Amino acid sequence: EPGTIIKGDKTTGGRVVVAMGGKINAQGTASQPIVFTSNQPAGQRQRGDWSGIAICGKAPVNFKDANGNAIQGRLECGQTTDYDFGGTDPADNSGVLSYVRIEYAGFVCGSNSELNSLTMGGVGSGTKLDHVMVSYGQDDGFEWFGGTVNASHLISFASRDDDFDTDNGFSGKVQFGL
């Protein structure tokens, strides 16, 4: 619901994972955004207090097997098939993230292997992604691994690495990224 505050657990590295075929419904408003943040007290929150949001869709990515056939990927740090992504549906719908703030997120599980404030793998153009702000991320603010999702009005503030990062054939559009 608009105005909801969801706190990620620091002890367990809590995360929100939307597996392929699943949908998130985070539809806030300009005056009542939905906030995903750390469960630590105000003033004690730090980058990487929780692992962030990962969305795994069925839209195309550029992974190929030895015979040139398209194959799925697995998001970095993912240990189960819940982190698999990619497919053949460019219009795949993984839900809505609108008027959302994501704070103090991100997780480093190895060298060049991280979850970001918002990690998207194979997210399709049927997904609504607008008016999202990420701040104080441990790694990237927004990272797309393939997919076709279009996004608008994105803000990345004080991320430790890239604000916007694209890999694996991302072919969506981003309008008004700051």
mmCIF file of all heavy atoms in Angstrom, residues 41-64:
data_model
loop_
_atom_site.group_PDB
_atom_site.id
_atom_site.type_symbol
_atom_site.label_atom_id
_atom_site.label_comp_id
_atom_site.label_asym_id
_atom_site.label_seq_id
_atom_site.Cartn_x
_atom_site.Cartn_y
_atom_site.Cartn_z
ATOM 1 N N PRO A 41 18.334 1.363 13.336
ATOM 2 C CA PRO A 41 17.760 2.652 13.758
ATOM 3 C C PRO A 41 18.263 3.790 12.867
ATOM 4 O O PRO A 41 19.389 3.760 12.356
ATOM 5 C CB PRO A 41 18.283 2.819 15.190
ATOM 6 C CG PRO A 41 18.683 1.455 15.636
ATOM 7 C CD PRO A 41 19.112 0.721 14.398
ATOM 8 N N ALA A 42 17.424 4.808 12.691
ATOM 9 C CA ALA A 42 17.835 5.999 11.950
ATOM 10 C C ALA A 42 19.131 6.527 12.553
ATOM 11 O O ALA A 42 19.299 6.554 13.769
ATOM 12 C CB ALA A 42 16.735 7.049 12.006
ATOM 13 N N GLY A 43 20.041 6.922 11.698
ATOM 14 C CA GLY A 43 21.344 7.402 12.145
ATOM 15 C C GLY A 43 22.396 6.310 12.226
ATOM 16 O O GLY A 43 23.581 6.591 12.315
ATOM 17 N N GLN A 44 21.969 5.030 12.200
ATOM 18 C CA GLN A 44 22.907 3.908 12.246
ATOM 19 C C GLN A 44 22.860 3.066 10.971
ATOM 20 O O GLN A 44 23.546 2.053 10.878
ATOM 21 C CB GLN A 44 22.606 3.018 13.454
ATOM 22 C CG GLN A 44 22.818 3.721 14.773
ATOM 23 C CD GLN A 44 22.491 2.840 15.955
ATOM 24 O OE1 GLN A 44 22.533 1.609 15.876
ATOM 25 N NE2 GLN A 44 22.154 3.440 17.084
ATOM 26 N N ARG A 45 22.056 3.461 10.007
ATOM 27 C CA ARG A 45 21.922 2.711 8.758
ATOM 28 C C ARG A 45 23.154 2.929 7.893
ATOM 29 O O ARG A 45 23.713 4.024 7.847
ATOM 30 C CB ARG A 45 20.657 3.154 8.023
ATOM 31 C CG ARG A 45 19.412 2.836 8.814
ATOM 32 C CD ARG A 45 18.169 3.370 8.151
ATOM 33 N NE ARG A 45 17.026 3.053 8.998
ATOM 34 C CZ ARG A 45 15.930 3.777 9.075
ATOM 35 N NH1 ARG A 45 15.792 4.858 8.328
ATOM 36 N NH2 ARG A 45 14.958 3.416 9.866
ATOM 37 N N GLN A 46 23.566 1.844 7.190
ATOM 38 C CA GLN A 46 24.753 1.903 6.340
ATOM 39 C C GLN A 46 24.502 1.144 5.051
ATOM 40 O O GLN A 46 23.630 0.276 4.979
ATOM 41 C CB GLN A 46 25.948 1.276 7.056
ATOM 42 C CG GLN A 46 26.348 1.984 8.318
ATOM 43 C CD GLN A 46 27.528 1.300 8.987
ATOM 44 O OE1 GLN A 46 28.226 0.487 8.398
ATOM 45 N NE2 GLN A 46 27.759 1.644 10.243
ATOM 46 N N ARG A 47 25.331 1.445 4.052
ATOM 47 C CA ARG A 47 25.273 0.703 2.784
ATOM 48 C C ARG A 47 25.364 -0.796 3.075
ATOM 49 O O ARG A 47 26.148 -1.223 3.919
ATOM 50 C CB ARG A 47 26.446 1.076 1.891
ATOM 51 C CG ARG A 47 26.361 2.432 1.298
ATOM 52 C CD ARG A 47 27.651 2.713 0.497
ATOM 53 N NE ARG A 47 27.523 3.933 -0.243
ATOM 54 C CZ ARG A 47 27.792 5.139 0.238
ATOM 55 N NH1 ARG A 47 28.223 5.263 1.486
ATOM 56 N NH2 ARG A 47 27.643 6.198 -0.508
ATOM 57 N N GLY A 48 24.577 -1.570 2.355
ATOM 58 C CA GLY A 48 24.660 -3.019 2.476
ATOM 59 C C GLY A 48 24.015 -3.587 3.725
ATOM 60 O O GLY A 48 24.251 -4.741 4.062
ATOM 61 N N ASP A 49 23.187 -2.812 4.417
ATOM 62 C CA ASP A 49 22.491 -3.350 5.594
ATOM 63 C C ASP A 49 21.553 -4.495 5.216
ATOM 64 O O ASP A 49 21.275 -5.364 6.028
ATOM 65 C CB ASP A 49 21.668 -2.265 6.293
ATOM 66 C CG ASP A 49 22.477 -1.459 7.306
ATOM 67 O OD1 ASP A 49 23.656 -1.772 7.527
ATOM 68 O OD2 ASP A 49 21.900 -0.511 7.868
ATOM 69 N N TRP A 50 21.032 -4.472 3.996
ATOM 70 C CA TRP A 50 20.194 -5.572 3.498
ATOM 71 C C TRP A 50 20.518 -5.716 2.015
ATOM 72 O O TRP A 50 21.249 -4.916 1.450
ATOM 73 C CB TRP A 50 18.712 -5.312 3.792
ATOM 74 C CG TRP A 50 18.094 -4.158 3.056
ATOM 75 C CD1 TRP A 50 18.354 -2.824 3.255
ATOM 76 C CD2 TRP A 50 17.158 -4.234 2.007
ATOM 77 N NE1 TRP A 50 17.615 -2.075 2.396
ATOM 78 C CE2 TRP A 50 16.863 -2.910 1.622
ATOM 79 C CE3 TRP A 50 16.511 -5.269 1.363
ATOM 80 C CZ2 TRP A 50 15.960 -2.618 0.603
ATOM 81 C CZ3 TRP A 50 15.609 -4.979 0.362
ATOM 82 C CH2 TRP A 50 15.347 -3.670 -0.009
ATOM 83 N N SER A 51 20.024 -6.736 1.362
ATOM 84 C CA SER A 51 20.512 -7.078 0.016
ATOM 85 C C SER A 51 19.780 -6.437 -1.149
ATOM 86 O O SER A 51 20.231 -6.548 -2.276
ATOM 87 C CB SER A 51 20.501 -8.597 -0.165
ATOM 88 O OG SER A 51 21.361 -9.198 0.775
ATOM 89 N N GLY A 52 18.655 -5.772 -0.940
ATOM 90 C CA GLY A 52 17.988 -5.077 -2.026
ATOM 91 C C GLY A 52 16.886 -5.887 -2.680
ATOM 92 O O GLY A 52 16.434 -6.909 -2.157
ATOM 93 N N ILE A 53 16.463 -5.408 -3.852
ATOM 94 C CA ILE A 53 15.384 -6.034 -4.607
ATOM 95 C C ILE A 53 15.958 -6.614 -5.890
ATOM 96 O O ILE A 53 16.683 -5.931 -6.619
ATOM 97 C CB ILE A 53 14.275 -5.013 -4.941
ATOM 98 C CG1 ILE A 53 13.676 -4.433 -3.658
ATOM 99 C CG2 ILE A 53 13.191 -5.666 -5.804
ATOM 100 C CD1 ILE A 53 12.681 -3.314 -3.893
ATOM 101 N N ALA A 54 15.628 -7.874 -6.170
ATOM 102 C CA ALA A 54 16.025 -8.541 -7.410
ATOM 103 C C ALA A 54 14.762 -9.000 -8.122
ATOM 104 O O ALA A 54 13.917 -9.663 -7.527
ATOM 105 C CB ALA A 54 16.930 -9.734 -7.112
ATOM 106 N N ILE A 55 14.641 -8.634 -9.400
ATOM 107 C CA ILE A 55 13.500 -9.050 -10.211
ATOM 108 C C ILE A 55 14.015 -9.912 -11.356
ATOM 109 O O ILE A 55 14.902 -9.485 -12.098
ATOM 110 C CB ILE A 55 12.729 -7.837 -10.755
ATOM 111 C CG1 ILE A 55 12.276 -6.920 -9.615
ATOM 112 C CG2 ILE A 55 11.523 -8.301 -11.578
ATOM 113 C CD1 ILE A 55 11.614 -5.630 -10.074
ATOM 114 N N CYS A 56 13.454 -11.113 -11.490
ATOM 115 C CA CYS A 56 13.887 -12.070 -12.509
ATOM 116 C C CYS A 56 12.737 -12.313 -13.482
ATOM 117 O O CYS A 56 11.720 -12.906 -13.110
ATOM 118 C CB CYS A 56 14.293 -13.381 -11.858
ATOM 119 S SG CYS A 56 15.590 -13.200 -10.617
ATOM 120 N N GLY A 57 12.891 -11.851 -14.711
ATOM 121 C CA GLY A 57 11.832 -11.981 -15.706
ATOM 122 C C GLY A 57 12.163 -12.971 -16.806
ATOM 123 O O GLY A 57 13.207 -13.620 -16.802
ATOM 124 N N LYS A 58 11.244 -13.021 -17.780
ATOM 125 C CA LYS A 58 11.344 -13.972 -18.893
ATOM 126 C C LYS A 58 11.654 -13.308 -20.229
ATOM 127 O O LYS A 58 11.445 -13.893 -21.284
ATOM 128 C CB LYS A 58 10.018 -14.726 -19.020
ATOM 129 C CG LYS A 58 9.633 -15.542 -17.808
ATOM 130 C CD LYS A 58 8.278 -16.200 -18.036
ATOM 131 C CE LYS A 58 7.796 -16.924 -16.808
ATOM 132 N NZ LYS A 58 6.466 -17.521 -17.033
ATOM 133 N N ALA A 59 12.135 -12.069 -20.203
ATOM 134 C CA ALA A 59 12.482 -11.360 -21.435
ATOM 135 C C ALA A 59 13.864 -11.807 -21.926
ATOM 136 O O ALA A 59 14.661 -12.364 -21.168
ATOM 137 C CB ALA A 59 12.447 -9.856 -21.202
ATOM 138 N N PRO A 60 14.152 -11.573 -23.211
ATOM 139 C CA PRO A 60 15.428 -12.039 -23.778
ATOM 140 C C PRO A 60 16.668 -11.425 -23.139
ATOM 141 O O PRO A 60 16.661 -10.281 -22.686
ATOM 142 C CB PRO A 60 15.324 -11.591 -25.246
ATOM 143 C CG PRO A 60 13.867 -11.473 -25.511
ATOM 144 C CD PRO A 60 13.263 -10.992 -24.216
ATOM 145 N N VAL A 61 17.713 -12.236 -23.111
ATOM 146 C CA VAL A 61 19.069 -11.827 -22.742
ATOM 147 C C VAL A 61 19.992 -12.375 -23.827
ATOM 148 O O VAL A 61 19.564 -13.166 -24.659
ATOM 149 C CB VAL A 61 19.473 -12.348 -21.339
ATOM 150 C CG1 VAL A 61 18.576 -11.756 -20.267
ATOM 151 C CG2 VAL A 61 19.425 -13.850 -21.270
ATOM 152 N N ASN A 62 21.246 -11.983 -23.826
ATOM 153 C CA ASN A 62 22.123 -12.432 -24.903
ATOM 154 C C ASN A 62 23.009 -13.623 -24.529
ATOM 155 O O ASN A 62 24.042 -13.842 -25.144
ATOM 156 C CB ASN A 62 22.965 -11.274 -25.437
ATOM 157 C CG ASN A 62 23.934 -10.713 -24.421
ATOM 158 O OD1 ASN A 62 24.022 -11.191 -23.290
ATOM 159 N ND2 ASN A 62 24.657 -9.676 -24.815
ATOM 160 N N PHE A 63 22.599 -14.426 -23.551
ATOM 161 C CA PHE A 63 23.352 -15.638 -23.218
ATOM 162 C C PHE A 63 23.087 -16.723 -24.254
ATOM 163 O O PHE A 63 21.941 -16.977 -24.602
ATOM 164 C CB PHE A 63 22.950 -16.184 -21.850
ATOM 165 C CG PHE A 63 23.312 -15.289 -20.694
ATOM 166 C CD1 PHE A 63 22.356 -14.957 -19.753
ATOM 167 C CD2 PHE A 63 24.591 -14.803 -20.535
ATOM 168 C CE1 PHE A 63 22.670 -14.149 -18.674
ATOM 169 C CE2 PHE A 63 24.918 -13.990 -19.468
ATOM 170 C CZ PHE A 63 23.957 -13.665 -18.539
ATOM 171 N N LYS A 64 24.140 -17.379 -24.711
ATOM 172 C CA LYS A 64 24.006 -18.465 -25.696
ATOM 173 C C LYS A 64 24.825 -19.668 -25.238
ATOM 174 O O LYS A 64 25.857 -19.530 -24.600
ATOM 175 C CB LYS A 64 24.545 -18.019 -27.065
ATOM 176 C CG LYS A 64 23.972 -16.727 -27.602
ATOM 177 C CD LYS A 64 22.655 -16.937 -28.260
ATOM 178 C CE LYS A 64 22.222 -15.628 -28.921
ATOM 179 N NZ LYS A 64 20.834 -15.505 -29.107
#
